[in-house]
Amino acid sequence: GQVVPLEVTYIEYGGYATARVFVKGAVSETLLKTEWLHTAPMPTEQNTGLTGHYYADDGSHNPGQLAKIMTRQDPSVNFQWGTLAPIPGVQADNYFVRWEGYFTPPTTGTYTFGTRADEGTRVKINNTTDDESMDTGKKKLTKSNKTH
């Protein structure tokens, strides 16, 4: 299938933290699988998953203004941090994560993306916002009307 850029943003304001990305369409609704995610558009060594950029959030939700905590390769966006910090030694609330990489569809067809998270999220496919809930807080499951 066609490789398309994928970006997922998550904001944690406080309390229980969870972030997941789903896809459905040419496949039954499922968590976005690691083997469909790549850190680069072309095959390279260890490029499965997404690159996660973790920031301490000052409320601006703008990574250009935030202090970066770390960057790491995450296999997928499927986290249940609960009341714990996303990584040891970091605050458990008020952080921002942006995952970037590429989605390679497992089969030809139309795909719809959505999230399940306790706070603000945004999913961009091919540089277009596909699903967004940046300030509603307690978001459970959203499915966009856009397809890819």
Side-chain angles (χ1 to χ4, degrees):
Q2 177 187 359
V3 177
V4 294
L6 170 68
E7 179 183 294
V8 179
T9 302
Y10 171 74
I11 300 170
E12 169 57 30
Y13 301 111
Y16 190 84
T18 182
R20 293 179 170 171
V21 177
F22 292 84
V23 63
K24 72 175 184 177
V27 295
S28 297
E29 183 174 314
T30 185
L31 281 166
L32 201 51
K33 297 184 184 290
T34 301
E35 57 266 23
W36 302 341
L37 301 173
H38 304 281
T39 57
M42 303 296 274
T44 60
E45 284 186 38
Q46 299 181 352
N47 77 333
T48 58
L50 298 172
T51 302
H53 305 275
Y54 291 73
Y55 302 86
D57 192 5
D58 62 7
S60 71
H61 319 313
N62 181 348
Q65 298 177 358
L66 302 177
K68 186 180 269 190
I69 300 166
M70 68 172 284
T71 299
R72 72 178 183 192
Q73 190 172 334
D74 289 322
S76 65
V77 180
N78 182 16
F79 295 99
Q80 289 186 306
W81 293 296
T83 57
L84 303 174
I87 54 176
V90 175
Q91 62 194 25
D93 294 325
N94 300 310
Y95 58 88
F96 177 101
V97 184
R98 174 166 289 153
W99 291 278
E100 298 173 317
Y102 296 86
F103 169 68
T104 304
T107 186
T108 302
T110 301
Y111 292 83
T112 302
F113 295 82
T115 61
R116 183 174 293 144
D118 67 311
E119 311 219 15
T121 59
R122 176 184 299 135
V123 177
K124 286 186 176 183
I125 301 295
N126 210 13
N127 300 315
T128 301
T129 300
D130 196 51
D131 177 46
E132 181 170 21
S133 176
M134 292 306 281
D135 26 59
T136 62
K138 308 302 176 193
K139 180 180 173 192
K140 294 299 179 196
L141 180 64
T142 300
K143 294 296 180 198
S144 78
N145 294 324
K146 297 178 182 177
T147 56
H148 304 279

